[in-house]
Amino acid sequence: MEGNRIGRRTVLRTAGALAAASAVTGCGSLMGNGESRSSSSSGGGRKRLVVSNSGGAYNDALTKGIYEPFAKETGITVTTVNYQSAQIIAQVRQGRPQVDLMDNSLLIFQKMARLECLEPVDHDRLKSVKGAGIAEHNLPEYAVGKNVWASVMAYRTDSLKRVPKSWADFWNTDAFSGARSLQSAEVDLPELEFALLADGVPLDKLYPLDVDRAFASMSRIRGEVKKFWNTGALPAVLLGRREVVATSLWGGRADELIKQGMPVAYQWNEARRMTSGWGIPKGAGNTDAAYQLIDFSLRPEVQAAFAKLFPHGPVVPAATKLLSEDVLATLPTSPHNLKTGFDADVAWWDKNQEAVTRRWQEWADA
């Protein structure tokens, strides 16, 4: 996803451009969404590494947890910029990529690899990967996963007499009455998986998604949905104002409400996980330093340090052993929470996102 997380990355912001690019040979030309060149630097070494990320609080956590200690150890200055993937694709096609390394979702990297805009990753160059137990789906050919976030179900504890434990409960408006909110396709992937889980599809049988069945399930709850939210901040606002009793939202948002003393809780069961990671644009000029930063970021102690600063789960299992139970309770990759959620199939979504988005828009407008 692109854009800031806890303001999460908005995949659909560039989905149309990426789809257009796939119609041309190799890495297609795109129109960017405007760029932000405001940047930050870490360290004062002679070498310089330019990294694109989504900025905001996410960049602040990366700077403190990864970039600054990396610069101190290696002498490599890390400068960050905020480019949309569409802009970087256009740069690659022109033969002038302006970044050495990208921080983005594995779904975006799946699209960019299909458009031949990424360098294949030599995982053998990454010492921190060997024997680390990183899940196979987080080590695709053209990227390296580094942290995981999730979409979860949150609810007001003062409005519901019982705790909703599944998306089937969320869909059960008789037993759990009150207005709902769900995510629209305007901001990110529509939540077809939740609709299917509510309709009785097992976690391990979700993919390939039965789109017809998912939309039929969505139609059954549509009358109770006060708002299909279109910004990352909105579901927490609706919940905080008591305009809804339950909503989907990105992990971390509910924790902010709880810290404010709101009567809110959330459910990790059947959470949808997505992974953010590293990708090297095709033709990037400083791949050696890029590999050094990737390797550094996957050390267990670095993964744990970042998780303490930002509510994204480590991909390295050993990192969870360095975290307190309080921190682990907020992370999608804690040993307990890993058992109850599922990982979005980025290959399926890359193939079907455009068609699903069109159908969503038609369904929403009907």
Side-chain angles (χ1 to χ4, degrees):
M1 299 165 54
E2 295 185 314
N4 188 260
R5 286 113 98 190
I6 308 201
R8 200 74 65 181
R9 299 176 170 239
T10 310
V11 172
L12 295 181
R13 188 177 299 168
T14 55
L18 286 166
S22 65
V24 300
T25 302
C27 188
S29 61
L30 300 172
M31 180 180 294
N33 283 333
E35 64 186 63
S36 171
R37 286 182 176 272
S38 60
S39 62
S40 62
S41 299
S42 303
R46 291 175 297 173
K47 298 179 182 179
R48 177 172 175 263
L49 181 69
V50 181
V51 180
S52 177
N53 68 42
S54 58
Y58 182 64
N59 177 68
D60 294 343
L62 287 167
T63 298
K64 184 176 180 180
I66 300 178
Y67 303 153
E68 288 180 347
F70 171 76
K72 184 177 180 180
E73 177 175 303
T74 65
I76 299 174
T77 299
V78 178
T79 299
T80 62
V81 296
N82 183 358
Y83 286 123
Q84 297 293 309
S85 57
Q87 295 169 269
I88 297 177
I89 289 171
Q91 294 169 10
V92 170
R93 186 169 185 265
Q94 294 163 4
R96 297 192 301 272
Q98 297 177 32
V99 301
D100 302 304
L101 187 62
M102 293 176 64
D103 181 327
N104 217 315
S105 73
L106 293 192
L107 177 56
I108 288 291
F109 291 141
Q110 176 88 14
K111 296 176 185 293
M112 291 185 68
R114 170 167 50 80
L115 298 178
E116 301 178 3
C117 291
L118 292 176
E119 298 283 355
V121 175
D122 182 356
H123 295 98
D124 289 337
R125 292 182 63 175
L126 302 171
K127 295 180 181 178
S128 297
V129 167
K130 297 176 182 177
I134 299 174
E136 186 177 349
H137 67 266
N138 287 329
L139 295 173
E141 183 180 359
Y142 287 88
V144 179
K146 66 174 174 58
N147 49 265
V148 180
W149 58 273
S151 294
V152 301
M153 174 176 58
Y155 54 93
R156 290 194 63 103
T157 58
D158 60 345
S159 298
L160 296 175
K161 296 179 180 179
R162 291 192 293 141
V163 173
K165 297 181 179 180
S166 66
W167 291 105
D169 287 347
F170 186 98
W171 252 247
N172 186 347
T173 56
D174 292 329
F176 302 89
S177 61
R180 268 65 162 166
S181 184
L182 287 166
Q183 183 172 288
S184 79
E186 297 175 45
V187 64
D188 194 11
L189 304 178
E191 295 163 334
L192 300 191
E193 293 96 335
F194 298 160
L196 290 171
L197 289 167
D199 202 44
V201 177
L203 276 177
D204 60 351
K205 302 294 184 183
L206 278 173
Y207 299 99
L209 299 183
D210 185 334
V211 177
D212 291 338
R213 184 174 177 179
F215 274 98
S217 180
M218 281 286 189
S219 294
R220 285 194 291 274
I221 200 175
R222 183 172 182 171
E224 302 296 329
V225 176
K226 179 182 179 68
K227 175 72 175 179
F228 286 100
W229 51 271
N230 55 10
T231 69
L234 184 55
V237 171
L238 295 172
L239 204 61
R241 291 177 178 173
R242 207 172 181 175
E243 294 185 38
V244 300
V245 301
T247 183
S248 62
L249 84 174
W250 294 327
R253 290 285 188 178
D255 288 313
E256 291 302 310
L257 290 176
I258 294 169
K259 289 176 183 177
Q260 295 168 23
M262 293 280 186
V264 168
Y266 59 99
Q267 179 62 253
W268 282 109
N269 189 41
E270 300 179 338
R272 182 174 70 179
R273 294 188 294 262
M274 292 282 286
T275 302
S276 296
W278 302 112
I280 301 173
K282 194 170 186 178
N286 198 357
T287 56
D288 286 343
Y291 271 99
Q292 285 182 261
L293 180 57
I294 295 171
D295 202 29
F296 180 87
S297 73
L298 295 176
R299 295 178 185 175
E301 65 273 18
V302 176
Q303 290 256 294
F306 180 74
K308 292 176 183 177
L309 296 169
F310 204 82
H312 282 191
V315 297
V316 177
T320 63
K321 298 178 181 179
L322 305 177
L323 296 169
S324 68
E325 289 299 321
D326 287 345
V327 173
L328 288 173
T330 68
L331 301 177
T333 57
S334 71
H336 179 266
N337 294 337
L338 266 179
K339 298 176 183 178
T340 62
F342 65 95
D343 296 287
D345 187 330
V346 295
W348 188 93
W349 274 110
D350 178 41
K351 182 179 179 180
N352 295 280
Q353 182 180 353
E354 185 179 2
V356 168
T357 300
R358 284 198 304 267
R359 181 162 177 180
W360 173 275
Q361 291 167 342
E362 293 170 357
W363 176 82
D365 293 339

